[in-house]
Amino acid sequence: MSESNPSLRERHRTRTLTEIHQAALELVGECGYGDTAVDAIAERAGVSRRTFFNYYPSKEAAVLGTTEPRISDAARERFLDPATGDEFARTVRLFMDVLRDATGPPELTARRHELVENNPELKRRVGMHITTVESLVVSMVVEHSAHGTTPRSEETSHAFVLLAGAVIKFAFRTNTHLATTLDDDAVQLALDHAIGVFRTALKEIS
């Protein structure tokens, strides 16, 4: 998630990312994915080719609205704060925060989903993007574990994060409206419910 009070620079960055992403979606809808060029996207968005590449590394990224995953200060603080939940719940939220920060706005989700379903290359790119998010979250969990009272191995931390990703996938599949909502409370409520379901399931097989 973005910080609650983003700076003017951050707001400008978010607005430009969205404008380029929206232009890419419009052009792909009009011309098809293969016939849409970076220059055309930049022109539609009202930016230079150089500015385009300052915001997105490729046409695929602009169409998907994906940026390089990062852990914001707000996401880091929430993950490190024991008052926000136990470590697994905080890991789920960290994964969600990083994923949403590195993905286009929720209101354009339906259009992105339609393009991905009709283009195998974009589907592959989405998978690569999620894997990159996973790796970043794993590194944070490993770092945090190393300073804890019961450090875990990198392998176990990776499994921990993959399970967190499964919780998110379950929450969004059972609450399809979440993909397009800006209501953070609704997202958190669904994640909390999904975590509870997984805890119950894991008890049954342990």
Side-chain angles (χ1 to χ4, degrees):
M1 301 289 168
S2 299
E3 286 83 348
S4 56
N5 294 299
S7 66
L8 180 61
R9 181 178 181 181
E10 185 63 23
R11 290 198 299 271
H12 174 73
R13 175 181 177 274
T14 299
R15 183 170 62 251
T16 304
L17 282 167
T18 300
E19 288 171 351
I20 295 173
H21 174 43
Q22 190 156 10
L25 289 174
E26 290 173 357
L27 283 167
V28 170
E30 295 168 11
C31 309
Y33 178 73
D35 292 329
T36 297
V38 166
D39 287 342
I41 296 171
E43 183 178 356
R44 175 69 65 92
V47 301
S48 67
R49 180 183 176 87
R50 180 176 180 178
T51 297
F52 174 96
F53 284 110
N54 283 339
Y55 284 86
Y56 289 107
S58 64
K59 178 180 82 171
E60 292 83 3
V63 171
L64 293 172
T66 53
T67 55
E68 186 67 25
R70 64 189 179 93
I71 298 177
S72 68
D73 290 341
R76 182 183 297 273
E77 289 172 10
R78 176 150 49 181
F79 174 69
L80 295 176
D81 183 2
T84 61
D86 63 28
E87 188 174 2
F88 182 65
R90 299 198 318 268
T91 300
V92 170
R93 188 64 209 211
L94 177 65
F95 200 137
M96 185 75 254
D97 285 348
V98 175
L99 193 59
R100 277 206 152 180
D101 269 346
T103 307
E107 60 267 26
L108 297 177
T109 297
R111 294 170 69 181
R112 285 196 298 271
H113 181 72
E114 183 180 354
L115 287 176
V116 168
E117 286 302 306
N118 294 323
N119 193 300
E121 174 60 20
L122 289 178
K123 187 174 290 189
R124 187 178 70 85
R125 291 273 181 168
V126 169
M128 292 169 60
H129 181 66
I130 293 174
T131 298
T132 303
V133 171
E134 285 175 358
S135 297
L136 183 61
V137 176
V138 167
S139 67
M140 182 69 195
V141 171
V142 169
E143 178 187 338
H144 178 62
S145 173
H147 295 91
T149 55
T150 55
R152 68 172 66 89
S153 68
E154 184 169 347
E155 184 178 56
T156 303
S157 292
H158 200 165
F160 204 66
V161 172
L162 287 176
L163 186 58
V167 167
I168 293 171
K169 189 174 183 179
F170 176 83
F172 276 71
R173 283 198 173 180
T174 54
N175 300 272
T176 54
H177 67 284
L178 291 181
T180 57
T181 186
L182 295 173
D183 186 347
D184 190 64
D185 289 338
V187 172
Q188 187 61 58
L189 189 64
L191 291 178
D192 289 342
H193 174 72
I195 289 170
V197 171
F198 270 67
R199 289 193 199 280
T200 300
L202 289 171
K203 283 180 182 178
E204 291 182 5
I205 63 174
S206 62

